[in-house]
Amino acid sequence: MSAPDEDRPIPPAPRLGEADAPTSRGGATEAARPPGGGGVPGGGGVPGGGGVPGVDGGGPGERRSGLRNPEKAVRGLGAGTLALEALVLLLAIQPIRAVGGNLSGAAVTAIVALAVACVVLVGRMGRPWAWHAGTAVQGLLLLSGLLHWSLLVLGIIFGLVWAYALHVRRVILG
């Protein structure tokens, strides 16, 4: 027995505006695709699509990060880096004084000022100048190495971490 609707053709779905329509790749819409590659061979959710053309971006040469809001993710990376730096700087004062020898008042003042600058920048990472100011803080931390050798070591470590954060920012945002 066949149902009366079985012989009728299915009407086409109404067309949405391009801004409202989810893009379709391989028969599944982006909204319906599970995170992490969506079962596309070679995709794996890795930027670049694992060598499969058209898997990761909308067109040739376009790279997608797979993040819902890449700008917010990059801001979080910068803010987290600076917050960790402020915490380490403040917690390093006493061990440097106990183990590292003579830590002058100028060095302690420099540490506290740099930590305060890091905390202020954490709240300002949405501003376009904040990344440049964060780079300046790294340079000042390196210069504070003239006051005590351990500050130079911290400056090198956090300078490398900040350079990596800038690299990730460039890769994600382009």
Side-chain angles (χ1 to χ4, degrees):
M1 257 188 172
S2 67
D5 292 337
E6 196 172 287
D7 295 332
R8 283 191 322 170
I10 299 173
R15 297 191 69 110
L16 298 174
E18 280 194 14
D20 299 330
T23 59
S24 176
R25 297 186 294 193
T29 62
E30 288 238 352
R33 210 175 266 285
V40 177
V46 178
V52 179
V55 167
D56 205 28
E62 181 182 341
R63 291 182 54 170
R64 294 196 37 188
S65 64
L67 299 169
R68 285 191 190 144
N69 190 345
E71 292 85 10
K72 190 174 182 180
V74 169
R75 281 195 314 261
L77 172 67
T81 302
L82 289 171
L84 179 66
E85 182 173 355
L87 182 67
V88 168
L89 284 173
L90 291 175
L91 290 176
I93 293 174
Q94 189 56 32
I96 290 173
R97 290 179 70 189
V99 176
N102 187 14
L103 188 63
S104 67
V108 172
T109 303
I111 291 172
V112 172
L114 287 170
V116 168
C118 287
V119 170
V120 168
L121 285 176
V122 165
R124 299 289 184 202
M125 285 311 293
R127 310 271 190 235
W129 52 264
W131 287 92
H132 300 294
T135 303
V137 167
Q138 306 312 315
L140 290 173
L141 182 55
L142 283 170
L143 280 177
S144 68
L146 296 173
L147 299 172
H148 196 273
W149 64 268
S150 59
L151 295 178
L152 178 65
V153 172
L154 286 175
I156 291 170
I157 292 170
F158 279 110
L160 291 172
V161 171
W162 189 254
Y164 180 70
L166 289 174
H167 169 73
V168 170
R169 176 180 184 237
R170 186 177 61 243
V171 167
I172 290 177
L173 297 181

